[in-house]
Amino acid sequence: MTKRVILLEEGTAEMKRLMGSKGADLAELIHAGWSVPAGFVITTECCREFCTRLGHLSGEGEEEIINAIRHLEQQTGKFFGHSENPLLLAVRTDQDRASATATQSLLNVGLNDVTVEGLARQTGDRLYALQCYLDYLKEYGQLVYAIPSEFFTEILSQFKGWDETELELTITEFKYLIEAKGRNPFPEDVQIQFKEAVRAVYHSQRVKASRSQDEIVRKPYYISSEQSAPVLIQTMMHGKCGESSGTGTMYTRSQLTGERGITGQYVPTGNTSQTDHGLERLRNDEPELYTSLLEIGSQLETHKGEVQEITFVIVAGALYVVQTQPARLSSTATLRSTVDFVHEGLITKEDALLRIQPEHITEVQKLYTNPSSISEANTGHMPIKIQPVTGDVCPAYNNSSPLLSADLQLLLDWADEVKELKVLANADRPQDALTARLLGAEGIGLCRTENMLLSPARLPFVQKMILADSESERRRGLERLLPMQQSDFEQIFEAMDGYPVTICLLDLPLHELLPDLGVLEKRREWLQAEEWQEQKDHQIELEELERIIRRVCELHEHNPTLGQKACRLSSVFPEIVDMQLEAIFRAAVKGIRQGWWVRPEIMIPQIGHVHELQVMRDLVDHVADQVLGEEKRHCLYRVGAMIEAPRAALTATHIARQADFFSFGTDELTEMTFGYSRHEAEKRLLLLQRDTDSRTVTNNPFHVLDIEGVGQLVEMAVVQGRIRKPHLKTGICGENVVDLESITFCHRIGLDYVSCLPEQIPYARIAAAQAVIKEQREGADTQNTDISTIA
């Protein structure tokens, strides 16, 4: 027979899937001899029965709940809805911290105009009872009727003192508000209250939380029904009955730092101001109870391997554990406590790595990238020179980085021991390359040379070169750019000494390199309208402007994003590619002669046909022969293709003949596969996901890799390319791969690396390790299932 309701004392630790983690933990404490408020769990299946639109509950389910409440009445000697001795209930979701913003519990269910007087008699404090009623009405209105808290706050602001009269008036105002906004009066019937409370708390797990637009794009709004948790019902313990009573919360370690040692709050009986006296007061007044709390915390930490938040009540000298759950910690505390749990033998390194989320790393990095934090962590200067390495595989970067905390550095070291994917960086400037190395990058997977050329100091030279009428004039312009590019590459090679540097040749639509035609035409109109047109200088400027406008019009393209760009630009302006290649190999020669191990990997962008790659490869080899000379034997450069066009992925077998590596530019590949512009698509997706309640809306494919579509092209190209070249190096350099699902996909299909922004490197290293651990554990689970099935 299906169990819809489980009493806490009937539960066991093994029933976590049925009872939920909180219910199972409380059941375990009961069996260990600790006092827990009487209660029961309504299973997820039972919740679904009367949380449907019609809200019907089967006869068996309703009978089980009625019997469970009667059991609580027998245990407590109180009665649900009784005017003299009322039983009040706490209704909570059993889900641990499902949402930081949604209300997930209702306390004092069963309070109404009659039972509030019974609570006053039980506690001996009518003011306290009225305050409980007021809080209950507010939470009930918010959770059951979705009335915004601002409406209740506005009413509260009208009252200054908190004597019984004002509390009674405020209670009346709250009831009016609930009836007006909720379109139903607050139910005095405690059975209706209970059903609505269970329904609301269960649904609160699926409430759309307030999020930023970035989060809206990246994450779905809802928790699926499979993830929904049971609902936990417990008798209310007020801690207002007699001496040696109070309420409190204990954390087994610091929420801010993760340091060992309990922290928390405690409010003793008779404290009308509800002032937190801290746990020191409890230790002084009730040392035995304080010791019991320590024992409970130690027991839970040992069992769970997590920092625990323990809500407790002391009634007439007796300690009751109301609730236990993993504590909500700062990111610093999460990392420190996780590392400490490994050292204490409570969890494994693999368990520790699986607990790390992107936000943990992001928040800690922000702390350590604060200039004052860096100066404290690194009293000297940042090391630029990094010990060169030999062989194709570089050792783990073990130097302590001033950009990382000690705990995070240790977790990253553990991740590097496990992960199989290399993590490279997208870096266009020498400073970015240095930062990437300090964060543990194993090379540069994407260096966009156009970002070097488009700086305000260099763009005028680029435009002058493009607008030149002859090859000789273009080459004179490029002579000014050559030393600038060479200097950039020299510094990047120095920062990445011993690690590969993948340099993408110019990959911009031609129109982005040209002056704005509208601005040029306005300038021409102004010059033509001036009275002193006959002046010689004026006339020369006008003639030059006419020539530039004519040249811009000649180079104009109707569809520039699919026009002369990437490898196709070299057919129009081959001198640009010549200059870039010469700068790369000149920088390589200088680096080699200074003792660096230079590993340039030259990437040809947006290949569509193998012939395009063959032509470009011949050019690279030609320039390398001319510039490197005798140093060519020390410069083991590679030439590869950036797979951005679907055709390149579909014809990977042919392209692999001419490629030493494939790098998948998933940003461009996503645009071409979906058939829309990233900028316009992101605006539509933001609006769609903000304005709809549908869970079928897809993730933004520019933030999370589209595995079904784009991923298929990537996997197909990897398989086909390695049929031609079994040891073909493959990787991804798009911005949309630094999430666990995408990195797990990259690991599964056998890519060699992922390349990301420098600040994303630490999490990418963690996620790469998580992908391996999950694969191993899922494989073990499958194997165990197969064995048990055979047996």
Side-chain angles (χ1 to χ4, degrees):
M1 184 179 72
T2 303
K3 288 285 285 184
R4 295 177 175 84
V5 177
I6 304 171
L7 299 174
L8 288 181
E9 59 265 33
E10 295 175 347
T12 65
E14 291 71 30
M15 297 172 69
K16 185 173 295 186
R17 183 163 295 185
L18 189 62
M19 295 183 67
S21 59
K22 291 181 186 176
D25 289 344
L26 291 173
E28 193 171 4
L29 286 175
I30 291 172
H31 293 307
W34 302 109
S35 296
V36 171
F40 59 90
V41 169
I42 303 177
T43 65
T44 303
E45 287 299 323
C46 186
C47 288
R48 286 180 192 150
E49 285 186 31
F50 73 100
C51 289
T52 59
R53 268 187 319 178
L54 297 177
H56 293 315
L57 184 63
S58 67
E60 295 87 350
E62 190 157 6
E63 184 178 356
E64 285 189 47
I65 290 176
I66 291 172
N67 289 337
I69 293 177
R70 284 176 181 164
H71 181 74
L72 299 187
E73 292 175 336
Q74 292 171 0
Q75 286 183 297
T76 61
K78 302 175 184 178
F79 303 93
F80 195 46
H82 196 273
S83 60
E84 297 293 326
N85 191 20
L87 171 68
L88 302 178
L89 300 175
V91 179
R92 298 183 175 94
T93 173
D94 198 276
Q95 195 160 49
D96 292 327
R97 303 296 187 196
S99 168
T101 55
T103 301
Q104 300 258 312
S105 64
L106 266 176
L107 305 182
N108 292 307
V109 174
L111 273 181
N112 57 25
D113 292 346
V114 174
T115 58
V116 70
E117 302 301 337
L119 176 62
R121 281 186 288 273
Q122 287 174 347
T123 60
D125 190 340
R126 189 168 188 270
L127 196 68
Y128 171 78
L130 291 172
Q131 183 66 61
C132 289
Y133 193 17
L134 189 70
D135 293 338
Y136 174 54
L137 287 169
K138 179 184 177 185
E139 296 299 326
Y140 191 94
Q142 288 180 241
L143 194 59
V144 175
Y145 295 115
I147 301 172
S149 62
E150 293 78 18
F151 290 100
F152 294 98
T153 304
E154 184 179 351
I155 294 173
L156 290 173
S157 66
Q158 300 170 13
F159 297 90
K160 303 300 181 184
W162 286 114
D163 57 25
E164 291 185 15
T165 302
E166 289 213 331
L167 281 171
E168 288 169 348
L169 288 173
T170 311
I171 287 169
T172 302
E173 291 292 326
F174 275 16
K175 286 185 176 181
Y176 287 149
L177 175 63
I178 290 172
E179 186 167 3
K181 297 295 182 180
R183 299 182 181 179
N184 283 292
F186 171 74
E188 293 287 328
D189 187 326
V190 297
Q191 298 295 339
I192 293 175
Q193 286 185 28
F194 178 78
K195 289 183 179 180
E196 291 299 322
V198 172
R199 183 181 290 112
V201 167
Y202 178 75
H203 278 307
S204 74
Q205 301 170 64
R206 304 154 72 94
V207 168
K208 179 168 64 177
S210 172
R211 292 181 172 177
S212 66
Q213 283 193 333
D214 185 59
E215 289 176 306
I216 288 171
V217 174
R218 291 176 183 269
K219 300 177 183 177
Y221 288 153
Y222 294 97
I223 297 167
S224 70
S225 58
E226 289 76 18
Q227 293 173 298
S228 299
V231 172
L232 174 64
I233 313 296
Q234 284 180 283
T235 59
M236 285 295 303
M237 307 290 290
H238 283 280
K240 297 291 290 184
C241 304
E243 297 296 324
S244 301
S245 301
T247 60
T249 302
M250 185 190 83
Y251 302 91
T252 54
R253 304 190 187 210
S254 169
Q255 290 179 281
L256 294 178
T257 67
E259 291 180 279
R260 297 187 69 177
I262 68 168
T263 62
Q265 306 87 39
Y266 177 62
V267 180
T269 295
N271 189 341
T272 55
S273 63
Q274 296 293 299
T275 303
D276 169 26
H277 284 246
L279 295 177
E280 287 298 313
R281 171 72 176 270
L282 180 62
R283 181 167 68 176
N284 295 333
D285 293 352
E286 303 288 345
E288 291 184 4
L289 297 182
Y290 181 84
T291 301
S292 295
L293 269 178
L294 291 178
E295 291 176 8
I296 294 170
S298 177
Q299 176 181 325
L300 287 170
E301 272 203 352
T302 301
H303 178 64
K304 307 282 280 186
E306 292 180 279
V307 180
Q308 295 294 302
E309 175 186 323
I310 302 170
T311 305
F312 63 92
V313 174
I314 297 173
V315 180
L319 173 67
Y320 293 86
V321 179
V322 176
Q323 179 179 232
T324 69
Q325 63 183 349
R328 187 180 293 140
L329 306 174
S330 72
S331 294
T332 299
T334 298
L335 298 187
R336 175 164 184 172
S337 61
T338 299
V339 168
D340 285 347
F341 284 137
V342 173
H343 290 153
E344 293 165 24
L346 301 181
I347 61 174
T348 65
K349 292 179 181 179
E350 291 76 15
D351 292 329
L353 290 170
L354 289 176
R355 291 184 181 182
I356 307 305
Q357 300 295 322
E359 58 269 19
H360 296 146
I361 295 176
T362 301
E363 291 173 18
V364 170
Q365 279 184 259
K366 285 180 182 177
L367 177 65
Y368 272 76
T369 51
N370 181 294
S372 60
S373 299
I374 293 178
S375 62
E376 291 171 8
N378 183 36
T379 53
H381 65 280
M382 288 187 184
I384 295 180
K385 185 70 174 177
I386 298 172
Q387 193 66 24
V389 294
T390 57
D392 191 54
V393 180
C394 296
Y397 181 56
N398 292 319
N399 294 348
S400 179
S401 168
L403 303 182
L404 301 172
S405 71
D407 297 315
L408 179 53
Q409 183 65 60
L410 188 56
L411 284 161
L412 290 171
D413 290 341
W414 294 344
D416 291 342
E417 294 170 4
V418 175
K419 72 180 180 65
E420 297 175 6
L421 278 169
K422 291 184 181 297
V423 178
L424 280 62
N426 300 344
D428 311 320
R429 301 178 304 158
Q431 183 58 43
D432 293 336
L434 178 59
T435 300
R437 281 295 296 119
L438 291 171
L439 293 173
E442 299 167 273
I444 292 179
L446 178 62
C447 176
R448 290 190 178 276
T449 53
E450 62 267 17
N451 291 342
M452 300 174 173
L453 296 176
L454 294 182
S455 67
R458 299 181 186 183
L459 184 57
F461 296 108
V462 176
Q463 291 179 338
K464 186 174 182 180
M465 178 272 300
I466 288 177
L467 296 172
D469 288 326
S470 66
E471 179 182 340
S472 60
E473 290 180 12
R474 284 199 293 273
R475 291 198 177 275
R476 276 198 297 273
L478 288 168
E479 287 173 1
R480 300 288 300 276
L481 291 170
L482 177 61
M484 300 178 190
Q485 286 251 280
Q486 180 179 336
S487 175
D488 287 340
F489 293 134
E490 287 173 6
Q491 294 177 68
I492 290 174
F493 288 149
E494 180 182 11
M496 286 290 154
D497 184 11
Y499 291 83
V501 177
T502 306
I503 302 167
C504 181
L505 299 181
L506 190 64
D507 185 20
L508 270 185
L510 182 60
H511 76 282
E512 292 190 27
L513 298 172
L514 298 175
D516 186 275
L517 184 60
V519 173
L520 294 174
E521 289 176 339
K522 285 184 179 179
R523 175 65 178 170
R524 179 175 63 182
E525 291 174 6
W526 184 84
L527 288 172
Q528 290 173 341
E530 290 296 312
E531 297 178 355
W532 33 279
Q533 292 182 22
E534 301 303 322
Q535 293 184 15
K536 186 176 181 180
D537 293 343
H538 186 84
Q539 191 61 33
I540 291 173
E541 181 183 354
L542 186 58
E543 290 174 0
E544 176 63 13
L545 188 60
E546 292 282 5
R547 184 192 73 81
I548 292 173
I549 290 174
R550 185 171 60 254
R551 182 66 174 148
V552 170
C553 290
E554 289 173 359
L555 296 173
H556 173 73
E557 296 176 316
H558 291 290
N559 193 346
T561 58
L562 296 176
Q564 299 299 330
K565 62 174 292 189
C567 64
R568 296 185 293 277
L569 189 61
S570 63
S571 64
V572 184
F573 299 107
E575 303 87 359
I576 296 179
V577 177
D578 287 346
M579 180 275 291
Q580 290 193 312
L581 292 172
E582 186 174 351
I584 291 169
F585 290 122
R586 278 190 178 188
V589 169
K590 184 172 180 179
I592 291 167
R593 289 175 179 170
Q594 291 192 12
W596 311 332
W597 186 20
V598 179
R599 298 179 59 186
E601 301 197 345
I602 297 165
M603 183 160 63
I604 314 303
Q606 213 171 86
I607 291 296
H609 193 284
V610 65
H611 177 69
E612 294 174 326
L613 181 59
Q614 183 177 1
V615 170
M616 293 299 295
R617 178 163 200 136
D618 291 342
L619 178 60
V620 173
D621 291 338
H622 175 70
V623 176
D625 288 339
Q626 286 187 318
V627 177
L628 290 176
E630 294 182 358
E631 303 296 350
K632 187 174 182 180
R633 59 198 173 112
H634 299 296
C635 182
L636 303 178
Y637 68 88
R638 291 177 172 178
V639 180
M642 194 171 188
I643 308 295
E644 301 172 275
R647 189 185 189 280
L650 294 169
T651 60
T653 307
H654 304 299
I655 292 176
R657 292 204 314 263
Q658 299 293 328
D660 298 320
F661 64 90
F662 283 173
S663 178
F664 295 93
T666 51
D667 296 339
E668 294 274 357
L669 188 57
T670 298
E671 280 193 315
M672 294 190 184
T673 303
F674 275 91
Y676 48 51
S677 155
R678 173 176 184 171
H679 178 69
E680 295 302 321
E682 286 193 320
K683 286 197 298 186
R684 289 200 303 271
L685 280 168
L686 279 172
L687 290 172
L688 184 61
Q689 294 205 0
R690 185 186 67 195
D691 296 338
T692 183
D693 285 338
S694 171
R695 284 179 285 159
T696 61
V697 177
T698 95
N699 288 321
N700 184 336
F702 297 103
H703 287 169
V704 177
L705 182 65
D706 167 46
I707 293 174
E708 286 185 353
V710 177
Q712 276 197 48
L713 288 173
V714 172
E715 184 172 12
M716 180 190 308
V718 171
V719 171
Q720 295 300 317
R722 286 179 175 163
I723 288 174
R724 174 69 64 175
K725 285 186 178 176
H727 301 293
L728 181 72
K729 181 178 178 181
T730 59
I732 278 183
C733 58
E735 294 180 15
N736 56 354
V737 294
V738 188
D739 68 281
L740 181 56
E741 184 180 0
S742 301
I743 286 183
T744 299
F745 169 77
C746 295
H747 166 75
R748 180 180 63 77
I749 67 173
L751 294 184
D752 294 293
Y753 68 87
V754 294
S755 187
C756 55
L757 298 174
E759 61 269 23
Q760 296 175 317
I761 289 169
Y763 179 67
R765 292 164 67 186
I766 296 283
Q770 290 174 336
V772 175
I773 297 166
K774 286 179 62 180
E775 180 184 60
Q776 292 171 345
R777 294 190 175 183
E778 288 168 2
D781 289 344
T782 303
Q783 187 176 16
N784 291 337
T785 301
D786 292 342
I787 291 172
S788 64
T789 303
I790 294 170

